[in-house]
Amino acid sequence: MRRKDREVTNLAEIRAFLQEAHILHIAFQDTPYPYIVPLHYGFEEHDGKFTFYMHGAKEGRKLELCRKNPHICLEIDHDGGLLSGGDKACAYSAFYMSLIGTGKIRVVEDLDEKKKGLSLLMKTQTGCDFALTDAMVNAVAVFAVTLEAYTVKSHKKA
């Protein structure tokens, strides 16, 4: 990371950011152009290792690309507002926090892990716990990505 002064490594701060952001963007390798899709997510962290869970249709481009080549890049950001530069255009900036990571995406097949993933997704998105039936869980595809590498960057308000 070029701007080491903006790097975030504090796991509590990263977890709090991930609870607030709500949307991640996954970039799949496709030809002739990459394919990026925004998704709601849930996550868990163990010893600095993050796993993200998303859901989607049981057919379609995302599922096909996931199976074709599981190597993905994902991005999550949280807009913190504009930093005014007054009458100097080049003095403007923005407050933000972002995570960029790489890993392998997989379709979750195990029913218990699917339930866990969807429960984490609902908890991250709503702050609430929900009872999920087997029928609810089996109606969707659940995807998981454990990041192999990631960086978090922030420009915070003083």
Side-chain angles (χ1 to χ4, degrees):
M1 176 180 298
R2 185 181 63 83
R3 292 289 307 263
K4 289 290 187 187
D5 60 316
R6 294 193 178 166
E7 184 175 22
V8 178
T9 58
N10 180 291
L11 288 176
E13 191 174 352
I14 295 169
R15 284 190 299 268
F17 153 65
L18 293 173
Q19 287 290 344
E20 293 176 7
H22 298 290
I23 303 285
L24 63 72
H25 300 88
I26 292 185
F28 292 92
Q29 297 181 50
D30 199 8
T31 356
Y33 302 103
Y35 177 67
I36 299 174
V37 62
L39 297 163
H40 287 101
Y41 65 88
F43 74 96
E44 63 182 354
E45 176 264 327
H46 297 290
D47 299 323
K49 198 153 188 97
F50 288 92
T51 299
F52 293 88
Y53 289 94
M54 298 75 54
H55 77 299
K58 294 175 85 169
E59 60 183 47
R61 188 172 183 186
K62 178 174 58 218
L63 187 62
E64 290 170 15
L65 290 173
C66 174
R67 290 187 169 138
K68 182 179 173 184
N69 185 345
H71 296 90
I72 60 91
C73 181
L74 67 79
E75 185 273 346
I76 303 168
D77 61 78
H78 187 270
D79 180 11
L82 183 67
L83 173 59
S84 177
D87 61 356
K88 296 180 182 165
C90 294
Y92 276 78
S93 188
F95 299 112
Y96 65 89
M97 185 173 256
S98 65
L99 177 147
I100 296 176
T102 54
K104 293 179 185 170
I105 193 168
R106 64 185 171 84
V107 179
V108 178
E109 303 292 349
D110 178 75
L111 183 64
D112 290 334
E113 187 183 5
K114 282 180 80 170
K115 280 185 181 179
K116 178 180 87 170
L118 290 173
S119 293
L120 287 167
L121 187 151
M122 292 306 299
K123 184 73 170 182
T124 300
Q125 297 300 316
T126 69
C128 299
D129 293 311
F130 291 89
L132 300 171
T133 66
D134 290 358
M136 292 170 154
V137 172
N138 286 324
V140 297
V142 175
F143 304 89
V145 173
T146 300
L147 295 182
E148 296 170 3
Y150 66 92
T151 57
V152 180
K153 186 175 176 182
S154 178
H155 185 193
K156 302 176 199 168
K157 295 179 183 177

